[in-house]
């Protein structure tokens, strides 16, 4: 049996105004240690102003293949994009 | 940020059971469809991600390479850590500590990337300690003087950078992202080494001689870091086809020599190779023959420090066991207490 500590996913907000972004993962026995390790591992050069750690086992993922039917409903709805629409020449601010 | 992705539900599930189809239990038609999708992605310079289907040989090649790379980062801490307590000034000491700490971080990014392929941290460390996975031979040479710290930063980290920059475009996403982080941090490593040597060459005659001696000893082993010549390199062609590797060993070695010659000149130091001369026709520096016998000997375990490095690694791991156990016990106790508190709170709120 593995004696590895649980795996955590680390999310870093690099500066105010930006979302937290996945930075990587690490092992730690608990959330507090995961935060401390994440600080030492991912923000040694002031790369972050805020950290989240999430147990990897708590993440639910969509199926593996990114081209998979899960995402298909969005594929044929080009009318969700502004470029779908015809705008007569000379019409501005639209 | 440059994330080192791990499979979203943990390393234990990363191999076959990660929801990504493995080779087992699939009919040949499905496998060839997956293979075709994989080939198309690689050809189009797309990244392969942990949960994608990939050929078994691609997976095992990556595990071997990333593991060896991770091991090199943490074994590589030893020769330099040897000088932290003896650094000649507080400035140099702080720099060296930061560098050695970075190397630990590089090891962790890379272990994380390897774990996305379905191996565990424990398995990787066990294999290193048992001598079943390798680390770079360069770290089996001793650091005899303070100037060695400079020569390592300039030449060893310099060679590593030359090797690693193309790996930022490696076809396997988590490895490529780890390399982006690492490369950003490496440039300080190389500069601090160069600056250290510069300080010595501007010092006393004895200091200048110390710098020259270190360069004399580290030059050839640094050239060996690029691996055997192309016609003897067993895995190269396949790795290039998979876009794990982007350039051949000899190509990268030549690039490194071309970079170093003018840098050595600026230091006023000579590189220990009488055959080094500019080749107008090729537009490159010609250099002398590498002693591959020495390389193979060190690889086999007969370098000056092989035993010492592995021994110290094992000891560090064993000496840290009680810390790992205590932290795990503390975490178990905390979570037991939390769930007990939760249970009694629920009980009390019942009417
Ligand atoms: Fe490194
Ligand atoms: Fe480095």
């Amino acid at each position: 049996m593995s004696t590895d500590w649980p795996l955590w996913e680390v999310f870093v907000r690099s500066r105010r105004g930006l979302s937290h972004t996945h930075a990587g993962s690490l092992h730690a026995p608990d959330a507090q240690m995961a935060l401390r390790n994440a600080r030492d591992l991912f923000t040694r050069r002031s790369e972050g102003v805020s950290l989240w750690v999430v147990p990897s086992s708590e993440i639910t993922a969509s199926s593996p293949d990114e081209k998979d039917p899960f995402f298909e409903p969005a594929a044929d709805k080009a009318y969700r994009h502004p470029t779908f629409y015809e705008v007569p020449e000379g019409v501005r601010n639209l | 940020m440059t994330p080192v992705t791990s499979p979203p539900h943990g390393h234990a599930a990363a191999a076959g059971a990660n929801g990504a189809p493995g080779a087992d239990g699939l009919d040949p038609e499905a496998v060839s469809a997956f293979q075709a999708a994989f080939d198309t992605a690689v050809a189009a310079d797309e990244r392969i991600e942990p949960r994608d289907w990939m050929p078994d040989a691609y997976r095992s090649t990556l595990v071997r390479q990333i593991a060896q790379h991770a091991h090199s980062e943490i074994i590589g801490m030893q020769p330099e850590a040897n000088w932290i307590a003896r650094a000649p000034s507080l400035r140099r000491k702080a720099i060296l500590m930061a560098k050695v700490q970075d190397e630990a971080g590089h090891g962790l990014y890379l272990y994380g990337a390897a774990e996305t392929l379905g191996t565990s941290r424990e398995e990787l460390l066990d294999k290193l300690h048992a001598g079943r996975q390798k680390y770079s031979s360069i770290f089996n040479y001793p650091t005899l003087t303070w100037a060695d710290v400079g020569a390592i930063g300039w030449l060893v980290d310099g060679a590593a950078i030359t090797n690693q920059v193309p790996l930022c475009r490696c076809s396997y996403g988590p490895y490529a992202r780890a390399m982006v982080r690492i490369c950003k941090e490496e440039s300080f490593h190389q500069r601090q080494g160069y600056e250290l040597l510069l300080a010595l060459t501007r010092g006393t005659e004895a200091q200048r001689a110390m710098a020259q001696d270190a360069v004399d000893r580290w030059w050839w082993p640094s050239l060996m870091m690029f691996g055997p010549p192309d016609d003897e390199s067993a895995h190269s062609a396949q790795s290039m086809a998979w876009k794990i590797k982007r350039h051949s060993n000899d190509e990268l070695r030549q690039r490194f020599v071309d970079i170093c010659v003018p840098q050595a000149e600026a230091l006023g130091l000579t590189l220990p190779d009488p055959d080094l001369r500019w080749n107008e026709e090729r537009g490159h520096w010609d250099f002398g023959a590498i002693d591959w016998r020495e390389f193979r000997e060190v690889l086999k375990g007969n370098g000056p420090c092989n035993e010492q490095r592995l021994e110290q690694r094992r000891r560090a791991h064993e000496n840290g066991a009680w810390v790992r156990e205590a932290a795990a016990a503390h975490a178990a106790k905390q979570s037991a207490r939390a769930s007990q508190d939760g249970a009694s709170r629920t009980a009390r709120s019942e009417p």
Side-chain angles (χ1 to χ4, degrees):
Chain A
M1 209 205 77
S2 172
T3 57
D4 279 338
W5 286 333
L7 194 65
W8 301 75
E9 300 304 320
V10 179
F11 298 81
V12 181
R13 185 201 293 288
S14 55
R15 59 186 158 81
R16 292 175 177 284
L18 296 179
S19 306
H20 286 74
T21 308
H22 186 239
S25 56
L26 50 78
H27 291 274
D30 57 36
Q32 280 311 312
M33 285 298 292
L35 273 178
R36 283 167 188 273
N37 291 353
R39 178 198 58 191
D40 292 346
L41 189 55
F42 294 109
T43 62
R44 286 197 303 284
R45 289 174 176 80
S46 316
E47 292 99 329
V49 294
S50 164
L51 283 172
W52 290 345
V53 292
V54 183
S56 307
S57 57
E58 295 297 312
I59 293 181
T60 306
S62 62
S63 45
D65 191 337
E66 284 166 27
K67 291 175 279 299
D68 133 310
F70 189 76
F71 297 102
E72 224 160 63
D76 58 356
K77 295 181 181 60
Y79 47 83
R80 285 180 168 156
H81 299 278
T83 47
F84 179 76
Y85 300 92
E86 188 192 304
V87 177
E89 216 165 300
V91 176
R92 298 171 60 184
N93 300 322
L94 192 68
Chain B
M1 270 332 353
T2 50
V4 180
T5 316
S6 58
H9 45 225
H11 65 277
N18 63 354
D24 306 337
L26 278 176
D27 62 276
E29 218 168 283
V31 170
S32 72
F34 284 130
Q35 176 77 54
F38 172 87
D39 292 341
T40 310
V42 170
D45 259 336
E46 277 180 33
R47 296 290 175 267
I48 305 300
E49 294 295 342
R51 293 153 58 87
D52 293 337
W53 183 91
M54 62 187 86
D56 289 343
Y58 177 80
R59 186 186 295 277
S60 59
T61 298
L62 277 169
V63 170
R64 192 190 54 235
Q65 179 171 337
I66 301 173
Q68 177 167 338
H69 197 160
H71 298 330
S72 302
E73 299 284 355
I74 64 165
I75 295 280
M77 296 164 73
Q78 292 183 30
E80 290 182 284
N82 180 34
W83 281 94
I84 290 176
R86 290 176 286 168
S89 69
L90 189 56
R91 177 178 183 270
R92 292 288 173 195
K93 185 184 243 177
I95 291 170
L96 187 53
M97 278 199 290
K99 183 194 189 266
V100 173
Q101 192 189 8
D102 271 357
E103 305 300 4
H106 297 174
L108 293 177
Y109 305 151
L110 288 162
Y111 284 124
E115 284 174 278
T116 65
L117 291 158
T119 178
S120 72
R121 185 73 51 96
E122 190 182 35
E123 186 185 353
L124 294 168
L125 289 177
D126 283 350
K127 284 185 173 161
L128 169 64
H129 298 155
R132 284 165 54 214
Q133 279 175 344
K134 301 213 172 301
Y135 56 88
S136 176
S137 310
I138 192 80
F139 302 117
N140 291 317
Y141 291 89
T143 38
L144 304 178
T145 71
W146 171 250
D148 287 28
V149 173
I152 288 181
W154 175 39
L155 297 173
V156 176
D157 288 86
I161 292 170
T162 308
N163 254 330
Q164 289 171 353
V165 166
L167 285 173
C168 296
R169 293 185 298 125
C170 162
S171 60
Y172 187 58
Y175 191 26
R177 292 191 284 276
M179 292 320 306
V180 171
R181 283 192 80 87
I182 290 175
C183 285
K184 267 188 208 156
E185 300 183 356
E186 285 293 351
S187 49
F188 126 66
H189 298 181
Q190 192 186 21
R191 278 200 188 188
Q192 63 83 34
Y194 193 81
E195 191 205 66
L196 192 164
L197 289 175
L198 189 66
L200 290 176
T201 57
R202 287 174 178 171
T204 64
E205 188 43 44
Q207 287 171 327
R208 208 205 61 80
M210 187 193 276
Q212 182 63 60
D213 167 65
V215 169
D216 287 347
R217 282 180 291 108
W218 288 94
W219 174 248
W220 290 107
S222 299
L223 293 191
M224 295 177 198
M225 284 176 69
F226 296 93
D230 292 347
D231 46 6
E232 289 168 35
S233 178
H235 308 292
S236 266
Q238 181 60 76
S239 285
M240 303 259 284
W242 278 329
K243 297 191 182 167
I244 294 174
K245 246 177 110 116
R246 297 279 180 162
H247 307 279
S248 78
N249 295 353
D250 286 333
E251 209 180 325
L252 292 169
R253 190 167 12 245
Q254 180 70 61
R255 188 178 294 179
F256 178 67
V257 172
D258 291 347
I259 288 170
C260 285
V261 173
Q263 292 176 348
E265 223 164 271
L267 285 173
L269 296 175
T270 52
L271 296 171
D273 180 357
D275 296 326
L276 201 60
R277 63 180 60 86
W278 177 250
N279 183 325
E280 191 65 57
E281 216 168 287
R282 292 201 309 125
H284 291 290
W285 288 85
D286 287 339
F287 54 98
I290 293 171
D291 181 3
W292 292 110
R293 211 171 24 94
E294 175 183 323
F295 177 74
R296 281 189 295 270
E297 278 305 303
V298 179
L299 207 61
K300 260 197 284 176
N302 304 325
C305 300
N306 295 56
E307 262 169 58
Q308 177 191 335
R309 299 288 186 240
L310 215 47
E311 184 48 38
Q312 188 171 335
R313 177 86 267 289
R314 286 194 204 105
R315 209 170 356 158
H317 191 69
E318 281 158 22
N319 291 345
W322 72 270
V323 180
R324 294 191 295 277
E325 281 157 23
H330 176 74
K333 203 189 229 172
Q334 291 294 107
S335 82
R337 199 170 287 163
S339 63
Q340 213 170 37
D341 288 356
S344 61
R345 236 194 320 278
T346 324
R348 252 179 286 136
S349 67
E350 307 260 297

